[in-house]
C-alpha cells in the first residue's frame, strides 16, 4: 500500500520566480517546479486564456 501526504495549495516564497503559482501547483501535485513552468510556457503557445488563469490563480492561491 502506498501512502502519500496531500499538501494544500499555497504559493511558496522560497521557490517563486514571479508569483509562485507554478511552484505551488508543482508542490501540490508532486511535480518539479521547472516542469510546471515549462508546461505553462508551452501552453501559452496555444490559443486560450492561460495568462488570465495565471493572474486569477495568483490572486486566489494564498501565500505560504
Amino acid at each position: 500500500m502506498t501512502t502519500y501526504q496531500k499538501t494544500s495549495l499555497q504559493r511558496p516564497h522560497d521557490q517563486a520566480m514571479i508569483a509562485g503559482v507554478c511552484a505551488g501547483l508543482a508542490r501540490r501535485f508532486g511535480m518539479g517546479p521547472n516542469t510546471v513552468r515549462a508546461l505553462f510556457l508551452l501552453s501559452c503557445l496555444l490559443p486560450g486564456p492561460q495568462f488570465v488563469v495565471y493572474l486569477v490563480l495568483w490572486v486566489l492561491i494564498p501565500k505560504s
Side-chain angles (χ1 to χ4, degrees):
M1 183 172 172
T2 304
T3 60
Y4 62 93
Q5 182 179 1
K6 210 176 215 185
T7 59
S8 63
L9 185 56
Q10 295 180 345
R11 294 183 294 124
H13 65 325
D14 58 337
Q15 294 179 336
M17 287 191 90
I18 297 175
V21 173
C22 291
L25 290 172
R27 185 179 288 178
R28 172 65 175 93
F29 294 110
M31 300 171 69
N34 289 331
T35 303
V36 176
R37 290 177 187 125
L39 290 173
F40 173 73
L41 289 176
L42 287 174
S43 75
C44 287
L45 297 174
L46 301 171
Q50 292 86 342
F51 188 71
V52 174
V53 170
Y54 186 90
L55 293 176
V56 169
L57 289 175
W58 188 351
V59 171
L60 293 179
I61 298 174
K63 196 168 192 172
S64 63

